Amino acid sequence: DSSGSSWMRHIRRAQQFFGLVYYQTSQAVPELQPTGSSPDSAQFGRPMSDLPSWLLPRLEGTGVFDAPAGAPGGVNQVQGNEYLEDSGIGLHVEDPAAGESLATLSLLQPIQLTLQRAINRRPMHKDDRDREDCLKVLLEPRSLFVLQGDSRHNFAHAIRQSRLVHLRDGASLRRGKDYRRVSLTFRSIVEGQRAAERKDMPEGYTAFELPRRDRGAPRSDDG
């Protein structure tokens, strides 16, 4: 939200990118899914230098990534997401292009994430899914959530759209009109593995579009 902020509102959640632009679950939106032939202005979002100077060094100190930001194996994308009211993210497994590890920093308001078993690195079909066979993780403000190894490849994750967020002290937070959460997800994108179609769709699934709230124009959404 600082000077130069550039939230894009092509899907239900507003987004902005630092470094490479690549969003795995909305390939029908060219602004979020540039190709190798796209101009540099489309390939890259805001410069990494726009981030607070302490942020990437603190992340590198966790050892999640193999190299410093900008180096091979280091962070080359920071994706900002804005969640208002009851918005969330549908169940998915991270694209192979997202690298071996990713980390998400949560800000402002808490939310719950779910982890469910994946089959062949794809979410289970909804008809086969046991909704009770999942782990709910509370993502609190200023917490860092890391996916790597089994949790990265063999589990699908989602951000819940429930109006109630159950907190660690037993209380609940209701997501109303004033609810706002911002997350920063750090990835080491493998540029050569970026794809023009989703790699994690369960067999028989197809992408869908939801109408925009403004004037009824179509808008892609991943849930």
Side-chain angles (χ1 to χ4, degrees):
D1 290 342
S2 62
S3 175
S5 177
S6 54
W7 290 105
M8 299 185 293
R9 301 185 183 276
H10 301 296
I11 62 174
R12 188 177 183 187
R13 285 169 289 105
Q15 299 176 310
Q16 59 179 306
F17 293 86
F18 300 82
L20 278 174
V21 174
Y22 180 70
Y23 184 62
Q24 71 177 57
T25 57
S26 292
Q27 278 80 0
V29 184
E31 294 87 351
L32 300 179
Q33 193 61 260
T35 66
S37 60
S38 301
D40 283 350
S41 59
Q43 296 274 0
F44 295 92
R46 297 173 62 182
M48 294 278 209
S49 58
D50 281 358
L51 293 165
S53 60
W54 53 265
L55 182 58
L56 290 174
R58 287 283 296 274
L59 178 70
E60 291 163 9
T62 66
V64 172
F65 295 93
D66 295 332
V75 172
N76 58 9
Q77 181 199 76
V78 181
Q79 177 189 342
N81 280 310
E82 180 188 53
Y83 298 82
L84 303 177
E85 297 186 50
D86 63 344
S87 60
I89 300 178
L91 196 65
H92 67 285
V93 176
E94 288 287 319
D95 191 289
E100 290 301 307
S101 302
L102 61 143
T104 295
L105 175 65
S106 295
L107 301 169
L108 301 182
Q109 296 282 358
I111 207 164
Q112 280 187 318
L113 173 143
T114 62
L115 285 170
Q116 291 184 285
R117 288 179 297 165
I119 303 297
N120 296 324
R121 300 189 177 186
R122 297 170 183 261
M124 295 178 67
H125 192 283
K126 65 179 181 179
D127 294 339
D128 301 323
R129 197 179 302 157
D130 181 353
R131 294 188 179 275
E132 298 303 317
D133 184 20
C134 74
L135 176 67
K136 296 176 183 177
V137 181
L138 177 63
L139 303 181
E140 296 178 294
R142 302 177 68 183
S143 66
L144 186 71
F145 178 76
V146 176
L147 286 176
Q148 55 187 183
D150 270 355
S151 64
R152 157 72 175 87
H153 295 291
N154 298 323
F155 284 81
H157 61 279
I159 295 292
R160 298 192 71 202
Q161 294 177 283
S162 172
R163 285 282 185 180
L164 289 180
V165 180
H166 299 289
L167 307 177
R168 67 164 71 195
D169 63 0
S172 296
L173 169 72
R174 178 170 291 277
R175 298 168 65 179
K177 294 288 187 181
D178 59 347
Y179 177 89
R180 183 175 186 244
R181 172 186 180 254
V182 171
S183 67
L184 296 176
T185 297
F186 304 85
R187 297 184 178 92
S188 179
I189 300 293
V190 183
E191 295 189 50
Q193 292 189 28
R194 290 182 295 176
E197 60 183 19
R198 284 188 65 169
K199 298 294 187 181
D200 70 329
M201 294 291 287
E203 186 175 350
Y205 272 45
T206 57
F208 63 93
E209 291 191 348
L210 292 176
R212 288 184 186 270
R213 292 175 182 170
D214 54 332
R215 302 182 184 179
R219 175 181 62 191
S220 176
D221 195 287
D222 62 0

